[in-house]
Amino acid sequence: MLIALAAAAAPLAAQEPATLHPSDSVIVLQMADVQALISAYPTTAMARMLSDSELHEAIGSVVAADGPPLDPLALAMMEYDGAVESGQMPPIFDLLSGIASVSYSTSVDGGDLFAFIEAADDAQDEAEYIATHLGSRLVVDFVDEPAAEEVFGFLATFLEEESPSNVQVRTRAITAPGGGGGFGTDKLTVRSFAPASPDANLDPFTPTVRIVSGGRRLAVLFGNAELDASLQQMVAPSPDTSAAALFLDGRRRFGDGNGLALMELYMSPFVERAVAMQAPQALPALDLAEGLFGPFASMFIRGGHWRIGLEDGQFVTQGLHSPGAAGPMTGMIGSRPLDQAALSLAHPDALVTSVTSLDPDVLSRTIEMLASEQGEGALEQLEQAYGFRPERDIAGSLGGAISYSLPSLKSLLAAPNLMGAAALDDREGFIRGMDGLFAMAEDMGGDVQVQRSEYRGSMVYTLSFTGALGSLPLGDLPIDPANFFRPTITVMEDRVLITTLPTHAKKEIRRVAKAKKKDEAPGIHEGIVAMGVPEGATTVGYADWPSFFGNLYTQLKSLAPMAAGMAGGELPFNVEALPDAALLTRHFRPSMRWVSRGDGHVQHYAKSSIGPETLLLPAMGVGVAMPRAMAGSAMSDDAWVEAELVEEVPASTDAELASARTQETLVEIAVAIRLFELDHQGAAPESLTALLQKTPAYPGGYLEGGSVPQDAWGQAFVYALSDSGYTLWSIGANGIDDGGAGDDLTVD
């Protein structure tokens, strides 16, 4: 009895929300401390951006094409405020201010979600089977009883008004066992929503939704959740009979040093198992999705235990799941530890890059399997005709890692330098494979031509498109498709490169040769070094998205005047008021991630300025106006400002803004030069003043404004012609001309 009383009197914050849910749950989601989340959220990049008055003013000036600047937050809040005033939705953050914790679970008979779905598909009455074999439970604990009563009243009223006519609503009072335990009272109210007629093929007296409220706890039970057993668990939770055990192993592996835990999730690996059972040939697509979309794709596909925390204003995502279902390509990607040589595949100048291990043996077996479907002896026939075998000379020649890298985008009017790389163990074998592959492609005909050349000891294969592929319409943009995309495969000494243009490949060859001449080891990306890759990692990734999207925005901003001219000057926004990229990105940081395998598990780690709030905020109707939405709630404006100062993120310096403005001007001049070349049979101007020439097509000149602009430090840009084209640069803040190298700012 004393133990029961002590448990009932224990503070809610000390309880583990997962103990309130069945141990056979296939989905468990919990937010153990909502108030800590509300207090910490203002330190995040998104919250800081939403409270940035300078940014609001800049956006308002852009939105107001005519007239005074508008308040973008006021615009975003119009629909939300109207809904609140009309009573269609509650003030969400007012409700959140009273919530202590939230947890949710879904349980099925036997604890196997895949078996449950298969059985439901085979059931004579699928609706009845689901209603009697599936149950869900939502438990919300509040900071006090008035907050709980407010939410219960709203929820009950909403369900009564929205329930179809064949649903009967019944309300009854019950006495909870053990004095009510976690509810804080033994006087509970149960409101049931059940079919009022047999139209739904259910027992009309079997409730399908029940809301249990009392004290500081609110529970919503769906489906087959048995009321007495559910109440017993929610009154006196026991870790031994709850879903809490699902999290124990993950917490041990995750450790305690990753900030505030915002959310924990356990999911059954239903998606992966369904694919493995019904479409095993699609299993490689799951690996590809993980590579492209990172841990959130793994969370959905692989299931397992996941934790999202907040540390120094950034979201930390950790995951733990089983190695995955066996398929024809299992283990080909991300199954082996990376070494230093593999990490050097990431381009040192990349803003976005990733490296993952590759098992060439699995790739070779996959090619053999696919070839066998073409008939016996298909590979032997290929070798007799063209002198190569793909599983031996291409797949078998590769090393143990592949990567992709995306350096800074110099211009939207030029091909992006998207670079793929693969480690290479047998250079001669791979060249033999490439020669045979392209000889076969030439005999088959088509719209692709291959040029084979050698550059500084590397073999370069350049693909050119003819026919329809080589003349894709690009509207009025001054882009030549032939110069925009010519995929190039370059076979170097220790790696294979895939680039968008041969010039990109040659630049990389020169970079590697320069390092080799200085007897330097291949460099590893500074971002990867800084993240501290753990020993045994099989995949690593680094993404400076603030710089990447800031760079992309700068390119688009430089083209905005051209778009305005093409539209006759009638655009729905003020082009001249577009702010600098640094103002848009200054609150965000680069992201990083790694994956490792061991002891029968796969572990994920990711750190990013972007978190789940990017999806939750719009869904909750708050949009970008969270600071204003919280007016009058538990978080006052003073609390917002105080929390904002917890993490100090340095604002952009004058030097950074000057560099950003100079880079924008460089892009504008490069665009003008390209327009000049199109009007002069590809010839570049003799000097930048030639861009001031006025033509019928460009009455303001290729470079409008009446004079050649200077950089942000009041210095003239340097322009030089050569046989290969031109170079353009600013000597930069130090005022020293390094010929376009060193600290000079350049544009390709």
Side-chain angles (χ1 to χ4, degrees):
M1 178 63 72
L2 290 176
I3 295 176
L5 290 174
L12 291 177
Q15 291 187 0
E16 165 65 69
T19 61
L20 306 177
H21 299 275
S23 58
D24 61 351
S25 299
V26 293
I27 298 174
V28 183
L29 172 67
Q30 67 175 32
M31 298 173 64
D33 194 341
V34 175
Q35 294 309 300
L37 164 62
I38 293 176
S39 298
Y41 183 73
T43 68
T44 66
M46 181 66 70
R48 293 174 64 83
M49 185 180 73
L50 297 178
S51 60
D52 189 334
S53 59
E54 185 180 357
L55 177 60
H56 299 169
E57 182 178 354
I59 295 176
S61 298
V62 173
V63 173
D66 297 308
L70 302 175
D71 182 356
L73 290 179
L75 291 175
M77 284 299 295
M78 286 176 63
E79 182 176 352
Y80 174 81
D81 287 341
V84 173
E85 292 172 1
S86 64
Q88 296 176 9
M89 64 181 293
I92 294 173
F93 282 96
D94 284 352
L95 298 182
L96 286 181
S97 66
I99 294 178
S101 67
V102 179
S103 57
Y104 170 85
S105 69
T106 293
S107 303
V108 296
D109 291 351
D112 188 333
L113 183 59
F114 183 78
F116 165 79
I117 293 178
E118 282 194 320
D121 290 339
D122 296 337
Q124 185 174 2
D125 191 318
E126 183 175 348
E128 181 177 3
Y129 184 90
I130 292 175
T132 55
H133 292 79
L134 179 145
S136 296
R137 184 183 301 180
L138 172 68
V139 182
V140 183
D141 283 332
F142 294 84
V143 296
D144 53 34
E145 293 188 15
E149 293 174 358
E150 180 182 359
V151 174
F152 173 71
F154 162 76
L155 186 60
T157 301
F158 175 81
L159 290 176
E160 287 183 14
E161 294 177 350
E162 298 298 325
S163 296
S165 58
N166 67 335
V167 170
Q168 183 181 46
V169 181
R170 295 186 298 174
T171 302
R172 59 194 176 103
I174 62 173
T175 301
F183 282 89
T185 178
D186 62 350
K187 305 302 181 184
L188 307 183
T189 300
V190 179
R191 188 160 298 186
S192 303
F193 300 80
S197 66
D199 294 343
N201 296 319
L202 295 172
D203 179 348
F205 298 102
T206 301
T208 54
V209 179
R210 282 162 291 184
I211 305 176
V212 183
S213 67
R216 295 166 295 180
R217 176 166 289 172
L218 172 69
V220 184
L221 310 178
F222 304 87
N224 74 342
E226 204 278 323
L227 181 60
D228 290 342
S230 299
L231 282 177
Q232 185 64 43
Q233 185 173 20
M234 288 185 287
V235 166
S238 170
D240 298 332
T241 59
S242 72
L246 298 172
F247 296 119
L248 296 181
D249 184 52
R251 288 173 180 164
R252 177 178 59 83
R253 295 182 186 274
F254 293 160
D256 300 324
N258 293 299
L260 170 69
L262 304 182
M263 180 187 304
E264 278 193 274
L265 172 71
Y266 168 80
M267 276 182 53
S268 169
F270 162 70
V271 173
E272 180 184 55
R273 186 176 175 191
V275 171
M277 294 291 292
Q278 299 177 355
Q281 67 276 11
L283 282 173
L286 302 185
D287 295 333
L288 177 61
E290 282 189 295
L292 292 176
F293 302 109
F296 288 102
S298 299
M299 184 186 302
F300 176 73
I301 295 169
R302 313 294 183 189
H305 176 197
W306 294 84
R307 175 191 186 276
I308 299 178
L310 191 60
E311 180 182 28
D312 298 330
Q314 289 187 286
F315 292 95
V316 176
T317 301
Q318 296 170 281
L320 190 73
H321 59 78
S322 62
M329 298 174 70
T330 298
M332 186 175 73
I333 300 294
S335 61
R336 296 179 174 182
L338 296 168
D339 56 20
Q340 294 295 301
L343 294 178
S344 71
L345 291 177
H347 194 285
D349 296 333
L351 293 179
V352 180
T353 188
S354 178
V355 184
T356 188
S357 62
L358 171 72
D359 190 334
D361 293 337
V362 178
L363 179 58
S364 296
R365 290 197 300 269
T366 301
I367 294 176
E368 291 175 346
M369 179 189 67
L370 296 175
S372 66
E373 298 177 358
Q374 305 300 317
E376 187 176 354
L379 293 175
E380 288 76 9
Q381 295 174 16
L382 197 63
E383 184 173 22
Q384 291 176 5
Y386 298 103
F388 85 108
R389 293 176 63 109
E391 88 289 5
R392 179 195 65 197
D393 299 319
I394 297 179
S397 297
L398 296 175
I402 57 176
S403 84
Y404 70 85
S405 298
L406 184 60
S408 176
L409 181 65
K410 298 300 184 182
S411 173
L412 290 175
L413 304 184
N417 187 10
L418 177 61
M419 182 181 298
L424 187 62
D425 284 346
D426 183 359
R427 182 175 184 273
E428 297 305 317
F430 193 84
I431 290 176
R432 181 172 58 249
M434 286 290 98
D435 288 343
L437 178 65
F438 290 128
M440 180 182 67
E442 185 177 353
D443 286 349
M444 295 174 62
D447 292 335
V448 180
Q449 295 181 346
V450 180
Q451 178 184 357
R452 186 181 188 273
S453 61
E454 192 170 343
Y455 183 78
R456 295 195 175 188
S458 297
M459 194 60 63
V460 181
Y461 299 88
T462 303
L463 283 62
S464 300
F465 297 106
T466 60
L469 289 175
S471 59
L472 293 174
L474 294 173
D476 296 324
L477 291 178
I479 298 174
D480 183 355
N483 294 328
F484 193 79
F485 184 62
R486 281 190 293 158
T488 304
I489 301 173
T490 304
V491 186
M492 301 175 65
E493 185 176 342
D494 64 342
R495 67 190 65 189
V496 178
L497 299 180
I498 301 178
T499 56
T500 47
L501 283 177
T503 53
H504 297 155
K506 293 176 180 178
K507 185 176 181 180
E508 178 65 4
I509 292 172
R510 293 193 298 269
R511 182 189 71 83
V512 174
K514 184 177 180 181
K516 186 175 182 181
K517 186 176 181 180
K518 294 181 178 180
D519 198 25
E520 296 177 352
I524 298 178
H525 194 287
E526 292 182 359
I528 293 179
V529 173
M531 66 186 281
V533 178
E535 185 177 354
T538 61
T539 299
V540 298
Y542 174 87
D544 188 354
W545 292 120
S547 296
F548 177 83
F549 285 111
N551 176 265
L552 177 61
Y553 168 82
T554 298
Q555 308 294 327
L556 292 171
K557 179 183 175 183
S558 70
L559 295 177
M562 183 190 304
M566 294 169 57
E570 296 183 3
L571 290 178
F573 57 90
N574 186 356
V575 173
E576 297 180 355
L578 289 171
D580 293 330
L583 183 61
L584 301 174
T585 62
R586 63 184 179 184
H587 299 300
F588 296 86
R589 299 180 183 179
S591 60
M592 57 191 68
R593 71 184 184 97
W594 55 258
V595 180
S596 66
R597 293 171 179 257
D599 299 332
H601 72 276
V602 180
Q603 187 167 349
H604 295 252
Y605 175 91
K607 192 171 186 179
S608 174
S609 297
I610 301 297
E613 90 286 10
T614 56
L615 299 177
L616 293 176
L617 282 179
M620 295 167 68
V622 180
V624 296
M626 181 177 179
R628 303 300 183 267
M630 302 192 70
S633 67
M635 178 178 286
S636 66
D637 289 341
D638 291 339
W640 180 270
V641 174
E642 181 179 356
E644 183 180 355
L645 298 178
V646 172
E647 179 204 12
E648 294 187 4
V649 178
S652 301
T653 64
D654 292 340
E656 291 173 336
L657 291 174
S659 295
R661 293 191 182 100
T662 299
Q663 194 67 54
E664 292 176 6
T665 307
L666 280 167
V667 173
E668 292 173 3
I669 296 175
V671 171
I673 293 174
R674 184 60 180 146
L675 297 176
F676 184 96
E677 289 174 334
L678 292 173
D679 282 351
H680 295 81
Q681 292 74 50
E686 292 294 329
S687 66
L688 295 182
T689 56
L691 299 176
L692 303 178
Q693 173 187 342
K694 299 179 180 179
T695 69
Y698 302 99
Y702 298 101
L703 193 59
E704 296 184 352
S707 62
V708 177
Q710 297 179 326
D711 63 18
W713 298 277
Q715 304 160 151
F717 289 98
V718 183
Y719 174 76
L721 286 173
S722 65
D723 293 339
S724 59
Y726 74 90
T727 52
L728 175 69
W729 69 92
S730 161
I731 62 177
N734 61 9
I736 300 175
D737 190 350
D738 295 318
D743 294 330
D744 292 352
L745 302 178
T746 64
V747 62
D748 286 350

